[in-house]
Amino acid sequence: MLTAYRYDAAAQTLDIQFPKAKPGEFYRYYNVPKETFDAFTAAESKGRYFIENIKKGDFTFEKLKEVLGETEAEVQA
């Protein structure tokens, strides 16, 4: 269900890439506590954890498209 992910602890942002995403396309979730990220990475099924705790959670997100090292954002609130 998930192709890649990255987390910025200082900004508390979690970027997730899905299998059908275009190259460089991620969804960024904001205000994700480190404890949530740690539980996500420790989960037996990251896809299930993502759906139950992040997607259905109260996290604002946006769709990102990285172009040559720059990021364009399309807000999805």
Side-chain angles (χ1 to χ4, degrees), residues 9-44:
Q12 289 192 321
T13 56
L14 174 61
D15 297 345
I16 296 182
Q17 186 175 48
F18 298 98
K20 294 184 179 182
K22 296 175 186 172
E25 188 176 82
F26 284 82
Y27 284 83
R28 174 165 291 166
Y29 292 82
Y30 291 94
N31 300 314
V32 178
K34 183 161 182 349
E35 296 79 15
T36 300
F37 175 70
D38 290 342
F40 167 75
T41 58
E44 185 174 321

Side-chain angles (χ1 to χ4, degrees), residues 2-74:
L2 309 174
T3 305
Y5 61 87
R6 58 191 177 203
Y7 183 69
D8 182 334
Q12 289 192 321
T13 56
L14 174 61
D15 297 345
I16 296 182
Q17 186 175 48
F18 298 98
K20 294 184 179 182
K22 296 175 186 172
E25 188 176 82
F26 284 82
Y27 284 83
R28 174 165 291 166
Y29 292 82
Y30 291 94
N31 300 314
V32 178
K34 183 161 182 349
E35 296 79 15
T36 300
F37 175 70
D38 290 342
F40 167 75
T41 58
E44 185 174 321
S45 170
K46 289 176 184 46
R48 180 177 294 137
Y49 185 90
F50 167 76
I51 290 170
E52 293 174 357
N53 298 282
I54 298 171
K55 184 176 181 180
K56 291 183 179 179
D58 194 25
F59 298 104
T60 302
F61 69 96
E62 66 182 337
K63 184 177 180 180
L64 303 177
K65 174 67 178 165
E66 294 179 352
V67 181
L68 300 176
E70 296 181 9
T71 302
E72 297 176 359
E74 178 183 317

